[in-house]
Amino acid sequence: MIILDLLGMFTIAYITGFLYYGLYRNITARFQRRFGPPVWQSFFDSIKFFTKNDSTSHGWMFYLGPIIMMSGAIMTLFFIPFFSSGESFVGLSEYGNLFLVLYLLVLGPLGNALGVGTAGNPFGVMGVTRGLSRLFALEMPFYIAVIAIMSLSGSADIGTIASQQTGLNAIAYPLLFIGALFSFIGMMGQSPFDVVGAPVEVYSGPASEFSGKFLALLMSQSAIFTFAKLVLMVHLFLGGASSFAELLIKTFILFVFVIAFGSMYGRFKTPQSIDFLLKVPTLIAVVGLILATWS
Amino acid sequence: MDFSTFGLADIVLSLKATHLANFFAMLIAFSFVMVTFLSRNYKLTKSFYALFLLLSASLFLIVYANDYLLFFIGWEIMSISTYFLLSFSLSKEALHKYIIFAMTSALSIFIAILILYSGTHSFLYADAHRSFAALGDTEGVLFATFMLFGIFVKLGTIGFHYWLVDAYEESQNFFTPFLSAVLSKMGIYALIILTTQVIELSYTLAIIGVITSIIATFKAIQEDSVKRLLAYSSIAQLGYIVTILGVADGMSGALYHALIHTAVKLLLFINIAGIIFITGRGKFSELGGLIYKTPQSFVLLLVGIITLAGMPPLGGFASKFMIYTSLMDAKHLLILAAVMFSSASAFLYIYKLIYGVYLGHPTNKHLESIKEAPWSFLVPQYILALLVIILGTYPALVVPYFNKILQELSLHVVNFSDYATLSSSFAEYNGLVVMSAFGAIFVLVLLLFVSLRSRAKNVKDRFDIAYCGEEPNESTHLHYGFSMGKELKRVGFINTIYKNSVKPFYDYIADQTLSFSDIFKKIYSGNLRNNFSIAVIFATVLLWWSQR
């Protein structure tokens, strides 16, 4: 039974993730006054990459990097329930808690960083270095907001936090939500905090040495991971969901907001983004935490 | 032991085997065994071993002492035997730093003990709380200040860490694991005794601990020497323990983290000792690309850093979980945020540790003919790795034992249902499920991925990389990133951490002391007649004062 549940979660996240990725490419295309590719293009691309024969590998650690990343993404997905109550699509969430999920969110990228390091491609390591230098600043507002929410709900269980909201947490505690949203934009790899992958420039970033089936695996994990992060955010701030329709609508609204934000702003350099994140969103979140928990 | 025959009726020296003492004694004994594996690779003199045994004996004396006097005797023997052990390899400056700090620490603890003694005329831990209550306000504050100063110097809390980093870096590779894993724990033990038996320090400790861990983490990121990085990391990790000791129900988290930190620092320092042994280099800028030369060491270091980072599914997460939930429970939300901040910044130096040594490209030709470290380095690491893996799977394995300690200290016990479920009053998680889910998913993805029809070609040539259409060769600088974190200097508040150091402060103190001693030298000049007259005057004053 639990196996079916997990398989269901995986399939839904996989398909929805790729659908969202296709929509992302279309929406950003419209922002730039051009027509994007067909919605399922990325999905077909990943399938095609899986069958490519000429991918290069740099030894076993390189081989394991993307696999650890995929495992990390799937783990994150399984420890976040889809619905705020009910028996179906809960995954393994009853065995974990929000602290575990916060760590699982960084488990995959760090595992892949080992693969990137093994390849010995300086452009890959450049991306990892940027990502890690920025990581603590990026996570900070999110952590503060999550701590406040946990303390207010008196629970570290994601389902409980989602179902306990009378109004939406986002409206009840707007400052916390705004702070967390800045982090979330960065976690989704959107501008102005997208210096890690740095698309459009000379290819640098963690993915630069991966080709063929490795790239396909990275694309698939990105789809799953995106969906898992969206679901987490919906549970924490947008009142959770009780049906698929509600879940899809809420995640989609959040997703569109994030990519719209991303396509409007330019990119920060690493020190700039650290500076900004530690000043503005962190302070907003700290004020939010003090206002929300002052009693 | 009774001193009544000497007319000291109220001084009683005694040993007592409490559960807490047993726990720390176990850590000492375990680390001792792990470190001795290494000894066959180092040609150390007999006196070194004798001192090492004396040091270990003094540590047992510290933990089993039942009163502050015996504790102090153990502490003093520890400080001095460590000095002689360090003198085998330390430079003169580092050695001077160590002995000055160690003696100041011991002296300050002695003053604190005497102040406490003035309360009820008893050194016993059992009377300590009463003695403290009997002290006036000023004496109470003085006691706490002197005691904390002594402990913080031992722990290397930021501000007092000046001796620690140099001592760790320059000490024998055989001795460094023991220094970090055990000697620093004595500070933790003293702090536990202080907070449970004498006074509660709550916010003071929490704030000092958090500041220590943040600053030490950022200092660690900048270091080029592997052992210095680990030394700063050690300071940061102890900062977490100090923080959690300032929280009402934090004892279980502190004990858990002490256990994990002992295991992981032994593992990492032994691993690095192995690397220094086979390569003769200990700097990130001189290492690199060792992964396929020393695969076992790589995997063991990987286990170590996953634990150090507090990542699930290994044991490090269990202790981090206890720390976070205790802080959450005590509503120290901003301190919790700061601890998580420090914890997230630690990923940077943790990645640097594994990347700089094992990944990327070798930085010189010498590294291309390296063989795996000898088995005597690997065996203790395998044992330690197994320990953290078991603790990751069954995180509550140590909880029944901790509960005995907590009961003995009359603190709240931790909920315990089964070995796989670690629960605090705020949340719980199942280590077995996390471990087996991760394992199953990993194996499944791996099998599916390997069974794909498409094949990946394993390139043997390390220069065969996507390099913007250029072809790198021997002279291309490819080991990018061993100095990662340098750009953090451009961020205002982080640069404040890098710009400032305690060195000018201690230099100032040293200058002042020297000029003061110049005045003293004028009086006590070494001239025999002068010295004699000074002695006579001193004796006269003493006599007059005693007859007054």
Side-chain angles (χ1 to χ4, degrees):
Chain A
M1 195 56 219
I2 183 103
I3 302 290
L4 279 180
D5 203 50
L6 296 179
L7 269 179
M9 287 175 89
F10 177 78
T11 320
I12 290 165
Y14 191 72
I15 294 169
T16 328
F18 269 113
L19 173 68
Y20 280 11
Y21 192 65
L23 291 171
Y24 154 69
R25 290 180 68 179
N26 273 280
I27 294 169
T28 35
R30 291 309 299 150
F31 269 104
Q32 295 159 356
R33 302 201 176 185
R34 59 184 171 85
F35 293 98
V39 171
W40 291 104
Q41 187 61 47
S42 309
F43 181 70
F44 295 138
D45 282 350
S46 85
I47 300 294
K48 186 187 75 177
F49 280 140
F50 267 126
T51 59
K52 282 282 183 191
N53 236 346
D54 53 351
S55 42
T56 45
S57 163
H58 295 267
W60 52 266
M61 192 61 230
F62 181 83
Y63 206 94
L64 292 183
I67 295 171
I68 297 176
M69 189 142 181
M70 185 67 171
S71 312
I74 298 176
M75 280 288 275
T76 319
L77 181 74
F78 285 171
F79 279 92
I80 302 170
F82 275 12
F83 306 126
S84 30
S85 54
E87 293 292 305
S88 53
F89 296 108
V90 288
L92 302 169
S93 56
E94 62 173 309
Y95 301 108
N97 54 55
L98 197 44
F99 286 113
L100 184 74
V101 171
L102 289 181
Y103 268 90
L104 288 176
L105 281 173
V106 285
L107 175 72
L110 283 180
N112 194 37
L114 296 174
V116 177
T118 318
N121 188 329
F123 298 108
V125 182
M126 193 185 287
V128 171
T129 313
R130 288 169 174 177
L132 285 172
S133 309
R134 188 206 57 168
L135 180 79
F136 59 89
L138 185 66
E139 301 279 329
M140 201 53 212
F142 189 67
Y143 283 167
I144 295 173
V146 166
I147 288 167
I149 295 289
M150 272 197 274
S151 175
L152 289 165
S153 329
S155 168
D157 181 59
I158 299 169
T160 317
I161 292 173
S163 54
Q164 264 190 359
Q165 301 173 34
T166 39
L168 302 184
N169 271 347
I171 293 167
Y173 313 110
L175 289 179
L176 290 175
F177 182 58
I178 293 168
L181 212 50
F182 276 109
S183 296
F184 191 66
I185 289 164
M187 286 156 128
M188 298 287 280
Q190 292 293 333
S191 279
F193 312 117
D194 61 342
V195 75
V196 180
V200 195
E201 286 160 16
V202 169
Y203 52 104
S204 64
S208 49
E209 186 62 21
F210 295 94
S211 61
K213 62 177 182 175
F214 298 106
L215 193 59
L217 199 61
L218 288 180
M219 282 170 78
S220 314
Q221 74 80 26
S222 156
I224 295 170
F225 208 27
T226 304
F227 187 69
K229 284 186 272 196
L230 284 167
V231 174
L232 177 65
M233 197 69 178
V234 165
H235 281 318
L236 291 180
F237 291 103
L238 300 178
S242 51
S243 66
F244 271 116
E246 198 184 347
L247 187 68
L248 287 181
I249 291 169
K250 281 183 174 172
T251 47
F252 187 68
I253 291 172
L254 190 62
F255 186 66
V256 169
F257 172 79
V258 168
I259 54 180
F261 196 90
S263 33
M264 280 186 288
Y265 287 90
R267 180 182 302 148
F268 275 143
K269 291 179 198 164
T270 316
Q272 282 174 332
S273 64
I274 297 171
D275 208 30
F276 174 77
L277 283 162
L278 284 182
K279 275 177 190 158
V280 184
T282 307
L283 277 185
I284 293 176
V286 167
V287 173
L289 180 137
I290 292 169
L291 288 181
T293 55
W294 194 267
S295 57
Chain B
M1 206 193 289
D2 203 344
F3 284 89
S4 47
T5 39
F6 304 106
L8 297 166
D10 38 48
I11 294 181
V12 184
L13 294 183
S14 61
L15 298 173
K16 193 175 179 189
T18 57
H19 286 299
L20 181 69
N22 285 340
F23 173 69
F24 277 90
M26 196 195 66
L27 290 186
I28 298 166
F30 180 70
S31 312
F32 186 82
V33 174
M34 290 297 119
V35 171
T36 42
F37 274 102
L38 269 61
S39 59
R40 72 187 288 281
N41 298 302
Y42 297 100
K43 290 189 180 63
L44 299 167
T45 56
K46 278 177 191 160
S47 53
F48 189 92
Y49 289 118
L51 283 164
F52 191 50
L53 286 172
L54 178 67
L55 172 66
S56 308
S58 73
L59 299 177
F60 283 114
L61 187 62
I62 293 175
V63 293
Y64 280 122
N66 190 34
D67 54 278
Y68 266 122
L69 193 61
L70 211 53
F71 168 86
F72 173 73
I73 294 170
W75 190 275
E76 192 74 18
I77 300 174
M78 169 182 79
S79 302
I80 292 171
S81 52
T82 310
Y83 170 76
F84 287 118
L85 280 168
L86 289 175
S87 70
F88 281 85
S89 58
L90 253 66
S91 66
K92 205 173 169 190
E93 192 198 344
L95 203 58
H96 279 172
K97 271 188 210 166
Y98 169 76
I99 193 65
I100 289 169
F101 274 90
M103 285 300 104
T104 322
S105 144
L107 196 66
S108 140
I109 284 182
F110 192 55
I111 295 170
I113 291 171
L114 289 181
I115 293 175
L116 191 68
Y117 178 76
S118 70
T120 51
H121 293 267
S122 162
F123 286 117
L124 288 174
Y125 289 152
D127 298 328
H129 194 73
R130 243 167 2 98
S131 305
F132 183 71
L135 296 177
D137 280 347
T138 328
E139 287 96 338
V141 172
L142 276 177
F143 164 74
T145 317
F146 278 117
M147 199 71 189
L148 282 181
F149 175 78
I151 294 171
F152 284 163
V153 167
K154 193 79 227 163
L155 285 175
T157 308
I158 281 301
F160 313 113
H161 67 289
Y162 193 44
W163 65 274
L164 186 141
V165 186
D166 287 343
Y168 276 35
E169 189 198 10
E170 295 177 17
S171 60
Q172 295 264 7
N173 292 329
F174 165 71
F175 186 49
T176 329
F178 200 71
L179 257 183
S180 168
V182 184
L183 290 193
S184 57
K185 292 297 168 310
M186 291 304 111
I188 295 294
Y189 179 76
L191 204 55
I192 290 178
I193 293 290
L194 181 70
T195 49
T196 55
Q197 313 278 10
V198 196
I199 40 170
E200 285 186 5
L201 290 155
S202 168
Y203 265 113
T204 324
L205 279 187
I207 289 168
I208 290 174
V210 136
I211 292 174
T212 299
S213 49
I214 290 178
I215 294 180
T217 303
F218 281 109
K219 290 264 185 197
I221 293 169
Q222 288 283 300
E223 286 301 338
D224 187 34
S225 155
V226 185
K227 282 173 87 178
R228 282 180 85 87
L229 184 144
L230 284 175
Y232 274 119
S233 148
S234 194
I235 297 173
Q237 299 289 322
L238 293 174
Y240 297 144
I241 305 184
V242 174
T243 310
I244 198 70
L245 280 174
V247 176
D249 278 335
M251 187 59 72
S252 50
L255 293 174
Y256 213 131
H257 205 67
L259 173 66
I260 292 289
H261 180 252
T262 305
V264 77
K265 274 290 141 63
L266 279 174
L267 205 170
L268 294 177
F269 271 116
I270 292 177
N271 193 297
I272 295 307
I275 290 301
I276 295 175
F277 183 76
I278 53 175
T279 62
R281 283 145 218 264
K283 285 194 168 146
F284 290 112
S285 49
E286 297 169 348
L287 288 161
L290 289 173
I291 171 168
Y292 298 122
K293 310 279 189 309
T294 59
Q296 295 188 54
S297 296
F298 169 76
V299 173
L300 289 164
L301 186 81
L302 184 58
V303 171
I305 62 160
I306 293 173
T307 317
L308 185 63
M311 278 281 160
L314 296 187
F317 180 70
S319 70
K320 282 277 166 69
F321 175 78
M322 292 303 269
I323 290 176
Y324 293 163
T325 46
S326 306
L327 285 167
M328 197 71 182
D329 219 28
K331 301 269 178 209
H332 288 348
L333 300 185
L334 284 174
I335 288 175
L336 172 58
V339 170
M340 290 177 89
F341 173 73
S342 157
S343 204
S345 339
F347 293 143
L348 189 53
Y349 76 69
I350 286 168
Y351 183 70
K352 182 177 177 176
L353 182 62
I354 196 159
Y355 176 82
V357 178
Y358 289 100
L359 306 180
H361 292 264
T363 42
N364 53 54
K365 280 245 186 277
H366 167 76
L367 294 173
E368 295 187 358
S369 56
I370 290 293
K371 294 272 182 313
E372 182 63 85
W375 63 265
S376 47
F377 286 101
L378 297 175
V379 171
Q381 291 181 59
Y382 274 115
I383 298 171
L384 292 160
L386 195 68
L387 177 75
V388 291
I389 291 170
I390 292 173
L391 280 179
T393 322
Y394 296 102
L397 206 58
V398 285
V399 167
Y401 186 69
F402 284 169
N403 277 344
K404 279 189 199 162
I405 300 175
L406 294 174
Q407 260 169 359
E408 181 185 81
L409 299 170
S410 50
L411 297 168
H412 292 294
V413 294
V414 182
N415 297 328
F416 175 74
S417 49
D418 60 288
Y419 288 128
T421 316
L422 184 65
S423 44
S424 69
S425 46
F426 194 77
E428 60 177 37
Y429 85 100
N430 190 318
L432 185 61
V433 171
V434 175
M435 181 66 103
S436 42
F438 187 78
I441 293 168
F442 181 79
V443 170
L444 221 63
V445 174
L446 181 67
L447 286 181
L448 284 174
F449 196 65
V450 171
S451 64
L452 282 177
R453 196 178 55 86
S454 58
R455 295 266 163 256
K457 186 171 78 236
N458 197 355
V459 287
K460 292 279 180 237
D461 182 11
R462 67 182 171 92
F463 296 116
D464 193 353
I465 50 174
Y467 196 63
C468 293
E470 293 290 317
E471 237 179 283
N473 54 33
E474 287 291 345
S475 57
T476 322
H477 180 61
L478 287 175
H479 191 60
Y480 177 96
F482 58 77
S483 53
M484 57 182 70
K486 280 276 193 294
E487 66 267 38
L488 291 180
K489 275 195 178 153
R490 290 185 216 146
V491 182
F493 105 97
I494 298 172
N495 195 26
T496 337
I497 295 178
Y498 291 139
K499 262 193 321 207
N500 293 312
S501 149
V502 284
K503 194 173 184 303
F505 173 73
Y506 286 120
D507 282 350
Y508 174 75
I509 299 252
D511 283 346
Q512 294 302 310
T513 319
L514 282 177
S515 43
F516 180 73
S517 61
D518 275 348
I519 302 169
F520 198 70
K521 233 181 194 165
K522 282 198 181 105
I523 306 167
Y524 195 73
S525 57
N527 186 324
L528 191 64
R529 272 169 299 176
N530 278 357
N531 287 2
F532 183 72
S533 37
I534 290 169
V536 169
I537 293 167
F538 188 70
T540 323
V541 171
L542 211 64
L543 267 173
W544 169 77
W545 191 66
S546 62
Q547 295 298 321
R548 192 166 56 106

